[in-house]
């Protein structure tokens, strides 16, 4: 191969990669420690066609760390956050995050909005469930857009989310009995995890999306 007009053999390229990896090891560990020590961490994963099949990310307000990992299992979460993490995480509802205590989780409302749109798309009894779910999502994002810039305070946000929470609870109970199987399953699963939906209203630094 040729780099900047200089011919290099494959072994030389590999050697330079190892040197760079070693040079970055210490700062990478420092950044990882910052993320692990944060009170709130957003976490996500995506398929990757690199050396590993999955690319994970953990992000706090001050630091962001990436991790190439061979699978989509929970081992990546422990590598990013440590085995005894006390952080509150915001994530989607992928099963790997279930190993994290529900009391330390916030669930992403952007994912939930897409779920309710699918309910609408199924039509029939599912459509009504989805439409009301989208209305609640709209209220959540509307109030958050007022809270984030300081237009309303934490007390007002909690009060208004309390009303939305009661409405969501009734919706999920009704939706759990829906004749459309996928919609009923969604509502039953959300009902078991609904406390994590509203954690953003009480935890400083936690947002309603990951």
């Amino acid at each position: 191969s040729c780099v900047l007009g200089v011919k290099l053999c494959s072994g030389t390229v590999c050697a330079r990669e190892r040197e760079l990896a070693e040079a970055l090891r210490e700062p990478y560990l420092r950044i990882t420690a910052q993320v692990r020590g944060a009170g709130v961490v957003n976490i996500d994963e995506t398929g990757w066609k690199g050396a590993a099949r999955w690319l994970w990310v953990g992000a706090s307000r001050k630091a962001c760390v990436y991790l190439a990992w061979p699978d989509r299992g929970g081992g990546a979460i422990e590598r990013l956050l440590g085995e005894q993490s006390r952080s509150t995480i915001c994530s989607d509802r992928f099963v790997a995050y279930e190993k994290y205590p529900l009391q330390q989780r916030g669930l992403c409302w952007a994912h939930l909005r897409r779920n309710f749109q699918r309910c609408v798309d199924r039509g029939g009894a599912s459509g009504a469930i989805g439409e009301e779910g989208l209305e609640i999502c709209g209220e959540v994002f509307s109030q958050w857009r007022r809270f984030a810039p300081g237009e309303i305070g934490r007390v007002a946000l909690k009060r208004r989310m309390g009303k939305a929470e009661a409405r969501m609870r009734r919706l999920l109970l009704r939706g759990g009995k829906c004749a459309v199987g996928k919609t009923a399953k969604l509502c039953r699963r959300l009902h078991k995890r609904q406390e994590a939906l509203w954690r953003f209203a009480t935890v400083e630094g936690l947002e309603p999306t990951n």
Side-chain angles (χ1 to χ4, degrees):
S1 61
C2 185
V3 178
L4 299 178
V6 179
K7 293 183 178 180
L8 298 174
C9 67
S10 299
T12 299
V13 174
C14 292
R16 299 294 81 76
E17 288 177 341
R18 286 193 296 270
E19 288 179 2
L20 182 60
E22 183 59 31
L24 293 176
R25 183 175 183 273
E26 184 178 347
Y28 180 86
L29 292 176
R30 288 203 306 268
I31 294 171
T32 300
Q34 288 184 29
V35 171
R36 289 183 175 184
V40 173
V41 179
N42 284 6
I43 189 167
D44 204 356
E45 83 292 332
T46 186
W48 193 43
K49 295 181 180 180
R53 292 184 58 196
W54 294 92
L55 185 64
W56 292 71
V57 60
S60 68
R61 288 195 171 187
K62 294 184 177 181
C64 178
V65 63
Y66 290 89
L67 173 68
W69 198 253
D71 57 48
R72 206 181 178 195
I77 303 174
E78 293 182 357
R79 179 64 66 89
L80 280 172
L81 302 182
E83 295 183 0
Q84 304 295 328
S85 176
R86 296 183 179 180
S87 302
T88 298
I89 67 167
C90 185
S91 70
D92 57 29
R93 303 189 310 278
F94 178 55
V95 65
Y97 301 114
E98 293 291 326
K99 65 187 302 179
Y100 213 80
L102 189 62
Q103 295 78 13
Q104 291 174 246
R105 293 185 64 191
L107 297 180
C108 177
W109 278 80
H111 286 79
L112 183 58
R113 182 164 55 186
R114 292 197 291 269
N115 293 144
F116 280 130
Q117 183 58 56
R118 293 191 188 101
C119 292
V120 171
D121 296 341
R122 293 182 190 119
S126 173
I129 298 296
E131 288 174 0
E132 185 170 355
L134 288 176
E135 289 179 9
I136 298 173
C137 289
E139 177 65 13
V140 167
F141 286 118
S142 175
Q143 295 303 324
W144 181 260
R145 284 192 293 269
R146 298 184 66 191
F147 171 77
E151 183 179 338
I152 62 173
R154 178 73 64 180
V155 173
L157 178 69
K158 289 170 64 176
R159 183 176 65 251
R160 296 174 188 188
M161 289 304 95
K163 296 178 180 179
E165 182 178 2
R167 186 180 178 188
M168 177 68 85
R169 187 181 302 111
R170 293 192 296 269
L171 175 65
L172 295 179
L173 287 172
R174 188 170 82 250
K177 302 174 183 178
C178 180
V180 180
K182 289 184 178 180
T183 297
K185 182 178 180 181
L186 169 69
C187 291
R188 288 194 294 266
R189 292 190 65 186
L190 284 172
H191 186 265
K192 293 179 180 178
R193 298 161 179 81
Q194 61 181 317
E195 67 176 87
L197 287 174
W198 308 98
R199 190 146 287 117
F200 73 89
T202 59
V203 175
E204 183 69 31
L206 185 65
E207 298 188 10
T209 68
N210 72 326

